[in-house]
Amino acid sequence: MKDTIRWGILGPGKIARSFANDLQLTEKGGLSAVASRSRERAEAFATEYNVPNCFSSYEGMLASDTIDVVYIATPHTGHEQWAVKAMEHGKHVLCEKPLGINLAQVERMIASAKKNQVFLMEALWSRFNPSIQKIKKWVDAGKIGPIGYVHADFAFYGLDKDEKGRLLNPALAGGSLLDIGIYPIFLSYLLLGLPKRILSSSNFHHTGAEVQTSMIFEYDKAQAILYSGLTTNSQMRAEIQGRKGTIFIDPRWHETQGFSIVIDGKEEKHPLPTVGKGYSYEIKEVQKCLQSGKLESEVWTHQNSRDLISLMDEIRRQTGIIFPSEV
């Protein structure tokens, strides 16, 4: 792998801007190309971020020799298609979460990565957040004792969004679960593993998009109470209770700048500000893997992505969340 890894962005939307800003904070990578289906959008993004190569089609960028790795930031329904096309062109892939909209898609993406011998990782940026990294280590080390309870939610008011946009449009796999519910599910999975039973319930918008989902994950000696919603705002402070103490992750916990730990009634605050928005950590993981010849991250593996989408598949089965592309 070259000294400087050449990135391409496929889908220059809001999240791609955050990604591009944080890419500038890393030493080993640079933004080499951007692709949009709109020439005007691609050129505007290229001008804003001084990107040397601009494409008015996704295929054009993927077929070019201008990039080594592509960051896929399309709506969920485009993840499998464009990740597979990228990998067929020999490009490494960092794909926004969820990796696919169901397990079948994720399996096809992983199979393509193996067939084409390229790197693939789900861009679950919270896994690389410094606070969550430290919390995971402390929990595994038994600092607060065996976990008995986890609470995590992610909610904001989104019912005023464009009903044809990705959030409220079932045709784009819209709704709260895949967009933001993935975060509370991830936290429970990270700390407690796969649950032995799931109980879940959803409410729906008149467009057919799911807009509220409550979940209980049952483990042998613990429970996790999880929620995602687009009908109200939430503080988004997560709580992890152990036999010896409790960890509180500061709001908004999925992009937290620190946490607190309470043991024997004494609270210790641990501020851990992120560099930039916080995307640089997953970017550095990809670049480290590429420079060492790894085709899979050991921090967030293909199996982790399989497990995560399997949990969401089961919740969707229970609650009746079905997307038109699956019918």
Side-chain angles (χ1 to χ4, degrees):
M1 180 58 65
K2 307 173 185 67
D3 290 339
T4 299
I5 295 169
R6 301 172 304 165
W7 284 85
I9 288 180
L10 192 151
K14 181 180 178 181
I15 196 168
R17 281 176 160 74
S18 295
F19 183 91
N21 287 330
D22 278 10
L23 178 58
Q24 296 175 7
L25 304 176
T26 70
E27 297 179 352
K28 301 295 184 180
L31 186 53
S32 177
V34 60
S36 173
R37 287 173 170 153
S38 161
R39 166 62 69 176
E40 184 178 331
R41 289 187 69 204
E43 289 179 348
F45 193 96
T47 299
E48 182 178 354
Y49 290 98
N50 195 28
V51 184
N53 301 289
C54 177
F55 296 86
S56 58
S57 75
Y58 297 159
E59 183 73 35
M61 183 180 74
L62 299 179
S64 76
D65 62 357
T66 62
I67 63 171
D68 304 305
V69 55
V70 59
Y71 170 61
I72 295 176
T74 67
H76 311 322
T77 46
H79 289 182
E80 180 196 10
Q81 176 186 359
W82 295 110
V84 169
K85 282 186 181 294
M87 292 185 286
E88 288 174 345
H89 282 293
K91 304 300 191 289
H92 304 291
V93 172
L94 175 64
C95 182
E96 254 312 317
K97 53 80 192 163
L99 192 57
I101 66 171
N102 54 45
L103 179 59
Q105 287 195 356
V106 169
E107 291 289 12
R108 288 192 291 267
M109 295 166 78
I110 293 171
S112 180
K114 294 183 183 302
K115 176 184 176 182
N116 293 290
Q117 286 294 287
V118 292
F119 179 88
L120 171 67
M121 191 179 85
E122 182 176 24
L124 196 68
W125 67 317
S126 297
R127 177 63 182 93
F128 303 92
N129 178 283
S131 295
I132 291 177
Q133 292 267 47
K134 190 165 187 175
I135 289 165
K136 169 67 173 167
K137 290 179 182 177
W138 280 9
V139 166
D140 289 350
K143 193 170 183 71
I144 60 171
I147 296 177
Y149 171 69
V150 171
H151 170 262
D153 65 354
F154 195 140
F156 63 88
Y157 188 76
L159 300 185
D160 55 352
K161 302 295 183 183
D162 180 2
E163 292 181 355
K164 294 181 180 179
R166 65 171 183 83
L167 203 58
L168 297 175
N169 186 351
L172 296 177
S176 82
L177 183 67
L178 297 192
D179 198 62
I180 56 178
I182 189 171
Y183 289 110
I185 294 167
F186 149 76
L187 186 64
S188 182
Y189 168 70
L190 179 70
L191 299 175
L192 291 167
L194 292 169
K196 67 176 185 179
R197 189 160 76 112
I198 296 173
L199 304 172
S200 55
S201 176
S202 295
N203 286 332
F204 294 81
H205 193 52
H206 67 80
T207 62
E210 161 269 332
V211 291
Q212 283 186 298
T213 296
S214 296
M215 300 154 276
I216 300 174
F217 281 15
E218 291 190 352
Y219 299 86
D220 286 336
K221 296 182 179 179
Q223 287 191 341
I225 310 299
L226 315 171
Y227 172 78
S228 65
L230 304 174
T231 63
T232 59
N233 293 310
S234 168
Q235 184 186 24
M236 287 185 269
R237 186 191 194 205
E239 181 176 353
I240 306 157
Q241 292 185 3
R243 188 176 300 166
K244 297 191 297 184
T246 300
I247 292 173
F248 296 96
I249 312 179
D250 296 348
R252 301 183 329 160
W253 72 263
H254 75 293
E255 57 181 356
T256 189
Q257 306 295 297
F259 65 97
S260 301
I261 183 168
V262 179
I263 298 178
D264 295 329
K266 297 180 180 179
E267 181 181 25
E268 292 182 1
K269 294 186 180 294
H270 295 270
L272 282 171
T274 61
V275 174
K277 178 78 171 175
Y279 289 93
S280 63
Y281 303 102
E282 66 178 3
I283 295 170
K284 288 178 180 178
E285 172 67 10
V286 174
Q287 294 175 168
K288 183 178 74 173
C289 288
L290 293 182
Q291 292 190 316
S292 61
K294 293 181 180 178
L295 301 182
E296 180 179 357
S297 168
E298 295 175 1
V299 181
W300 190 251
T301 66
H302 292 169
Q303 188 58 48
N304 292 147
S305 293
R306 285 189 183 100
D307 290 345
L308 193 61
I309 196 64
S310 295
L311 292 171
M312 290 191 287
D313 277 359
E314 173 58 19
I315 293 162
R316 290 178 54 207
R317 186 194 68 78
Q318 291 185 14
T319 59
I321 302 172
I322 300 173
F323 303 123
S325 61
E326 299 172 306
V327 178

